[in-house]
């Protein structure tokens, strides 16, 4: 190889090095301060000046700061016979405008700086690149490359949809997000107002892909907040005024009152809550398009929650958004109900004021503060009759999973808050006249769930009571599937809590937890159609298998979950 050919090879190698150096970093939802295009490369690195024709004494010098063009770089073109020749000045105007991908990549940072950072017109960028670097290309090729690189100056709907997708995932791990395009803040709310669309409309075009390199995501500086923001008191006062009228003490169990409950179970208000619950759950599993379909269906019926007789559905709606918290859904929900209540007649003023307060609070505070106020509202509504469990205050937030038992077999739940319950009484617990209308086993299963959630599944009495109730249930003429599932599930959760601090690969308690949860999941798959609770049980079981290093069983559990639930997903989306 001659000296001249060696120089050409060296410049090509340095060009590839530069491409490697300026390659953009990827953003993940877990990143705290993610910068999609590092400023040090975009501002300090100059592209390799390919295609600059001068004399035939070419050299390119490299420093730690930048590539510096020195006089004498000659544009060399391969001839048809494979030899290299240098075009003279009379042929410069006939140089090719097509370039290899490596050449474009070498100029990418400079084009980005001119087109995005300095906000120059494409025509001006082309002129500067030709005069300064000798780089010529057609406008069509420039536009093609700008699209490939996602160098967009304006917010596109797909980009905004992906911003919301990323924001939801970061909120799920407790991180706030701010977005900037070319250094300017992106106001997603303003974009949706201008286009007349909602967050659910954007879900359809979200692909969870990477954001354009022009968009940066950062975690904003934390702002110190008081533990009890002033508008918390505002909501609590208005919620107290409304619930003192509506959440009255239930009547004794009798046919007339249960018929009213049956009407509630068959109402459009409760149906909208069921759709909303599925939508929130689907969003939590990453099935955004299906989740958006369900939420739109829920919102089409949501106004029925404002009916005078639908206050119980209002309570269950709060349970749904608390179980699967999503900042965008919470904001849209309270805003929609508040505006609807203001536009129609017949909504009492205390409820209208409650809705307005929730709407304002959700817009001004982060998701964690909205969860706190939801917890308070649910605890107040269910605990105002001073009920207790094992000598401690009780409320319905301790009852989860909430919607596993069919609604037609849940009369007892409207009376849980009227009694004082003890752990030892769970195997025989009942309510006067309950057995005339419902199997008391459902009540005992709910009390066992409350016991576990109240103690964080750490109380050693959990497994003892659960196994005693399980044996008792199996000895009856008609064993309750729901009670058996809860006994197995509770024993699994207690065994898992006992294994904390042990090596999962060797812990006997961890092994027992996996075995009992496997039995619970198998029963769940036989007794009910696979749905969100079944999906969550197998997801939890998969996680426990992976903790124990049993990846084979974990993979088998995931395949079973996906296979069993695929038809349910399809049916839910019809």
């Amino acid at each position: 190889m001659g000296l001249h050919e060696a120089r050409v090879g060296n410049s090509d190698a340095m060009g590839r090095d530069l491409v490697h150096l300026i390659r953009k970093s990827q953003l993940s939802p877990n990143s705290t301060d993610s910068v999609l295009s590092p400023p040090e490369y975009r501002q300090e690195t100059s592209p390799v000046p390919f295609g600059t024709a001068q004399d035939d004494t070419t050299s390119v010098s490299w420093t730690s700061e930048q590539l510096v063009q020195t006089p004498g770089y000659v544009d060399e073109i391969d001839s048809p016979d494979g030899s290299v020749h240098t075009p003279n000045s009379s042929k410069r105007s006939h140089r090719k405008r097509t370039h290899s991908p490596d050449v474009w990549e070498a100029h990418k940072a400079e084009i980005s700086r001119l087109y995005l950072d300095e906000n120059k017109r494409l025509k001006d960028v082309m002129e500067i690149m030709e005069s300064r670097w000798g780089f010529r290309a057609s406008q069509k090729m420039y536009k093609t490359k700008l699209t490939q690189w996602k160098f967009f100056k304006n917010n596109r709907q797909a980009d905004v949809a992906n911003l919301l997708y990323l924001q939801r995932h970061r909120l799920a791990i407790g991180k706030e997000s701010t977005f900037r395009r070319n250094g300017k803040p992106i106001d997603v709310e303003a974009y949706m107002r201008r286009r007349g669309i909602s967050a659910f409309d954007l879900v359809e075009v979200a692909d969870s892909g990477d954001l354009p390199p022009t968009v940066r995501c950062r975690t904003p500086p934390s702002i110190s907040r008081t533990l009890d923001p002033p508008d918390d008191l505002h909501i609590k006062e208005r919620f107290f005024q409304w619930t003192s009228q509506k959440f009255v003490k239930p009547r004794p169990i009798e046919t007339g009152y249960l018929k009213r409950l049956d009407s509630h179970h068959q109402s459009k208000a409760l149906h909208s809550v069921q759709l909303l619950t599925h939508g929130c759950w689907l969003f939590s599993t990453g099935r955004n398009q299906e989740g958006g379909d369900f939420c739109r269906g829920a919102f089409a019926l949501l106004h029925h929650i404002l009916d005078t007789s639908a206050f119980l559905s209002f309570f269950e709606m709060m349970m749904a958004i608390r179980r699967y918290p999503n900042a965008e859904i919470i904001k849209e929900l309270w805003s929609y109900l508040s505006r609807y209540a203001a536009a129609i007649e017949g909504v009492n003023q205390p409820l209208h004021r409650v809705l307005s307060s929730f709407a304002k609070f959700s817009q001004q505070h982060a998701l964690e503060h909205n969860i706190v106020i939801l917890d308070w509202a649910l605890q107040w509504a269910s605990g105002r009759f001073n009920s207790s469990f094992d000598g401690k205050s009780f409320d319905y937030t301790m009852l989860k999973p909430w919607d596993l038992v069919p609604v037609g077999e849940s009369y007892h739940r409207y009376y849980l808050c009227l009694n004082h319950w003890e752990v030892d009484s769970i195997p025989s617990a009942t309510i006067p006249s309950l057995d005339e209308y419902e199997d008391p086993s459902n009540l005992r299963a709910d009390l066992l769930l409350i016991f576990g959630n109240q103690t964080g599944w750490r109380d050693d009495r959990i497994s003892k009571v659960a196994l005693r109730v399980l044996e008792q249930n199996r000895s009856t003429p008609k064993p309750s599937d729901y009670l058996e599932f809860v006994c197995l599930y509770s024993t699994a959760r207690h065994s898992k809590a006992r294994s904390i601090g042990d090596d999962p690969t060797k812990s006997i308690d961890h092994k027992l937890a996996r075995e009992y949860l496997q039995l619970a999941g198998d029963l769940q798959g036989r007794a009910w159609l696979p749905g969100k609770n079944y999906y969550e049980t197998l997801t939890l079981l998969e996680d426990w298998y992976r903790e124990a290093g049993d990846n084979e069983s974990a993979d088998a559990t995931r395949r079973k979950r996906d296979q069993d639930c695929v038809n349910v997903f399809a049916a839910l989306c019809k």
Side-chain angles (χ1 to χ4, degrees), residues 111 123 180 278 320 473 529:
I111 294 173
K123 180 181 179 181
R180 289 179 173 270
H278 278 87
N473 179 61
L529 288 175

Side-chain angles (χ1 to χ4, degrees), residues 390-403:
D390 200 30
K392 301 174 184 177
S393 178
F394 153 77
D395 64 82
Y396 284 102
T397 61
M398 299 177 188
L399 181 55
K400 50 189 176 182
W402 167 258
D403 55 352

Side-chain angles (χ1 to χ4, degrees), residues 130-149:
E130 181 175 1
S131 62
R132 186 177 298 174
W133 306 107
F135 180 79
R136 300 183 65 202
S138 66
Q139 187 178 69
K140 181 180 179 180
M141 283 301 301
Y142 265 99
K143 289 183 177 180
T144 299
K145 282 297 178 181
L146 292 177
T147 302
Q148 290 177 358
W149 292 336

Side-chain angles (χ1 to χ4, degrees), residues 11-298:
S11 65
D12 289 342
M14 284 186 286
R16 289 192 296 271
D17 289 343
L18 179 60
V19 171
H20 176 73
L21 284 172
I22 64 174
R23 197 177 296 274
K24 303 294 184 286
S25 62
Q26 298 290 324
L27 175 66
S28 69
N30 294 328
S31 61
T32 303
D33 290 308
S34 301
V35 181
L36 296 180
S37 99
E40 62 268 26
Y41 296 149
R42 297 175 61 176
Q43 296 173 2
E44 297 178 8
T45 304
S46 301
V48 178
F50 292 104
T52 304
Q54 300 200 12
D55 58 48
D56 55 15
T57 57
T58 304
S59 63
V60 179
S61 61
W62 165 264
T63 70
S64 61
E65 298 294 329
Q66 59 183 357
L67 287 178
V68 180
Q69 176 186 357
T70 59
Y73 186 75
V74 180
D75 189 13
E76 297 175 341
I77 302 175
D78 290 339
S79 65
D81 60 2
S83 61
V84 178
H85 69 275
T86 303
N88 55 36
S89 60
S90 64
K91 295 182 180 180
R92 288 179 190 171
S93 60
H94 300 290
R95 281 180 299 170
K96 292 183 178 181
R97 294 189 176 208
T98 58
H99 303 283
S100 68
D102 285 349
V103 174
W104 277 101
E105 286 295 324
H107 289 286
K108 182 177 179 179
E110 179 70 359
I111 294 173
S112 170
R113 185 181 67 81
L114 296 171
Y115 185 67
L116 298 175
D117 298 347
E118 298 186 10
N119 198 29
K120 294 185 181 296
R121 298 179 304 169
L122 179 56
K123 180 181 179 181
D124 297 333
V125 173
M126 294 171 62
E127 292 177 355
I128 293 173
M129 290 301 297
E130 181 175 1
S131 62
R132 186 177 298 174
W133 306 107
F135 180 79
R136 300 183 65 202
S138 66
Q139 187 178 69
K140 181 180 179 180
M141 283 301 301
Y142 265 99
K143 289 183 177 180
T144 299
K145 282 297 178 181
L146 292 177
T147 302
Q148 290 177 358
W149 292 336
K150 297 184 179 182
F151 285 1
F152 305 115
K153 291 187 177 182
N154 299 316
N155 295 321
R156 301 179 307 156
Q157 184 166 323
D159 293 340
V160 176
N162 287 337
L163 292 184
L164 289 176
Y165 180 91
L166 175 60
Q167 188 180 58
R168 279 197 297 269
H169 279 260
R170 285 170 60 84
L171 281 173
I173 59 175
K175 293 182 180 180
E176 295 287 338
S177 304
T178 59
F179 299 97
R180 289 179 173 270
R181 181 187 289 278
N182 304 323
K184 298 179 180 179
I186 299 176
D187 190 339
V188 177
E189 298 289 339
Y191 175 89
M192 291 191 291
R193 287 195 300 269
R194 288 196 305 270
R195 296 296 183 91
I197 58 178
S198 68
F200 305 122
D201 298 315
L202 290 174
V203 166
E204 293 185 344
V205 297
D207 59 10
S208 71
D210 298 329
L211 298 178
T214 56
V215 177
R216 293 179 172 87
C217 173
R218 291 188 179 276
T219 302
S222 58
I223 301 175
S224 59
R225 298 178 183 268
T226 59
L227 294 178
D228 195 18
D231 21 2
D232 273 22
L233 300 177
H234 198 57
I235 289 182
K236 291 177 180 178
E237 179 182 5
R238 292 185 171 184
F239 193 79
F240 171 79
Q241 292 171 352
W242 179 62
T243 54
S244 62
Q245 300 173 6
K246 288 297 178 184
F247 285 77
V248 296
K249 186 175 181 178
R251 294 169 57 186
I253 295 180
E254 47 89 20
T255 304
Y257 184 68
L258 296 188
K259 285 183 177 179
R260 290 179 58 189
L261 292 179
D262 287 337
S263 297
H264 159 63
H265 294 157
Q266 299 168 12
S267 67
K268 292 181 179 179
L270 185 61
H271 184 51
S272 72
V273 172
Q274 292 168 339
L275 291 173
L276 181 67
T277 303
H278 278 87
C280 294
W281 168 63
L282 287 165
F283 273 122
S284 73
T285 64
R287 297 176 178 270
N288 295 332
Q289 183 170 351
E290 297 95 327
D293 292 340
F294 267 86
C295 286
R296 277 189 290 273

Side-chain angles (χ1 to χ4, degrees), residues 348-570:
N348 61 20
Q349 286 305 308
L351 175 56
H352 186 198
R353 287 193 289 269
V354 167
L355 295 173
S356 299
S357 297
F358 272 113
K360 180 180 178 182
F361 189 89
S362 66
Q363 296 291 334
Q364 295 180 346
H365 296 279
L367 178 62
E368 59 265 25
H369 291 292
N370 281 272
I371 292 175
V372 169
I373 202 66
L374 275 173
D375 283 340
W376 176 86
L378 291 167
Q379 290 163 5
W380 161 250
S382 56
R384 62 191 300 258
F385 301 113
N386 299 317
S387 60
S388 66
F389 185 92
D390 200 30
K392 301 174 184 177
S393 178
F394 153 77
D395 64 82
Y396 284 102
T397 61
M398 299 177 188
L399 181 55
K400 50 189 176 182
W402 167 258
D403 55 352
L404 185 60
V405 62
V407 292
E409 300 174 20
S410 60
Y411 296 131
H412 66 278
R413 288 184 170 174
Y414 301 94
Y415 299 88
L416 279 172
C417 59
L418 303 180
N419 294 275
H420 298 279
W421 307 98
E422 298 295 335
V423 173
D424 294 336
S425 67
I426 290 179
S428 58
T430 189
I431 297 172
S433 302
L434 177 64
D435 55 354
E436 298 179 23
Y437 304 97
E438 180 192 333
D439 185 354
S441 295
N442 296 333
L443 166 66
R444 295 160 193 166
D446 280 353
L447 291 175
L448 192 53
L449 286 175
I450 291 168
F451 181 30
N453 286 302
Q454 185 187 63
T455 60
W457 302 102
R458 293 176 178 272
D459 195 305
D460 287 337
R461 292 176 294 172
I462 294 174
S463 289
K464 294 178 181 178
V465 173
L467 294 175
R468 177 184 170 190
V469 172
L470 180 62
E471 181 179 356
Q472 176 182 296
N473 179 61
R474 289 176 173 176
S475 66
T476 60
K478 292 184 178 180
S480 166
D481 289 331
Y482 178 55
L483 180 57
E484 178 155 352
F485 167 79
V486 170
C487 289
L488 294 171
Y489 178 85
S490 300
T491 306
R493 294 297 301 266
H494 174 242
S495 299
K496 180 63 168 61
R498 284 173 55 90
S499 73
I500 294 176
D502 298 341
D503 182 353
T505 63
K506 302 177 181 178
S507 172
I508 299 299
D509 286 320
H510 200 286
K511 182 180 179 181
L512 286 173
R514 300 194 303 273
E515 292 175 350
Y516 275 109
L517 193 60
Q518 180 72 67
L519 292 172
D522 292 343
L523 171 63
Q524 201 171 1
R526 295 192 307 269
W528 300 280
L529 288 175
K532 60 181 181 300
N533 290 297
Y534 178 73
Y535 188 97
E536 291 171 349
T537 299
L538 293 193
T539 300
L540 182 62
L541 180 59
E542 179 195 353
D543 292 340
W544 290 2
Y545 274 129
R546 295 202 188 280
E547 286 180 8
D550 189 351
N551 290 324
E552 182 178 352
S553 297
D555 292 338
T557 302
R558 172 179 282 269
R559 287 193 298 271
K560 178 176 176 55
R561 180 200 70 186
D562 293 344
Q563 182 179 356
D564 290 351
C565 291
V566 65
N567 294 330
V568 177
F569 283 127

